[in-house]
Amino acid sequence: MGGAAIQRVIDVCQDLDPWLEGQPSVRIEYTSLLSNSMLKELKGAKIGLAVSTQPIFFFGKEDSYRQFLSADQLKMAYGSRA
């Protein structure tokens, strides 16, 4: 869910040859913290990377997110504006 884990997947996979045609070959589940630079990398990845978000988590865990995430992280969470 965190940015470091998502960035690791991008770094490892982005230059790999795709094994599926017409669709992403790698899907990142439960993505929650995506920076603008990560989004650019996702779009430019050779392999085709997709993300699966669970925005309902933000509403279900809002108090926890507000307690443990920084203001910058809250702005990135699920593309929301906190």
Side-chain angles (χ1 to χ4, degrees):
M1 289 178 78
I6 295 165
Q7 187 63 58
R8 177 64 62 105
V9 174
I10 293 169
D11 292 344
V12 168
C13 295
Q14 67 183 343
D15 294 325
L16 297 175
D17 290 325
W19 56 81
L20 298 174
E21 292 184 30
Q23 61 188 333
S25 293
V26 174
R27 179 172 147 160
I28 306 169
E29 295 291 332
Y30 297 102
T31 53
S32 55
L33 299 176
L34 289 169
S35 67
N36 288 334
S37 63
M38 286 179 186
L39 289 170
K40 288 179 186 175
E41 289 180 278
L42 287 167
K43 289 179 184 178
K46 179 180 177 182
I47 193 167
L49 295 169
V51 296
S52 173
T53 62
Q54 304 297 325
I56 193 66
F57 288 0
F58 184 81
F59 299 101
K61 304 283 187 185
E62 182 179 359
D63 292 339
S64 177
Y65 281 18
R66 290 190 185 281
Q67 180 179 354
F68 294 107
L69 297 179
S70 70
D72 288 339
Q73 288 173 317
L74 276 173
K75 290 177 185 175
M76 287 190 306
Y78 305 105
S80 67
R81 302 212 188 273

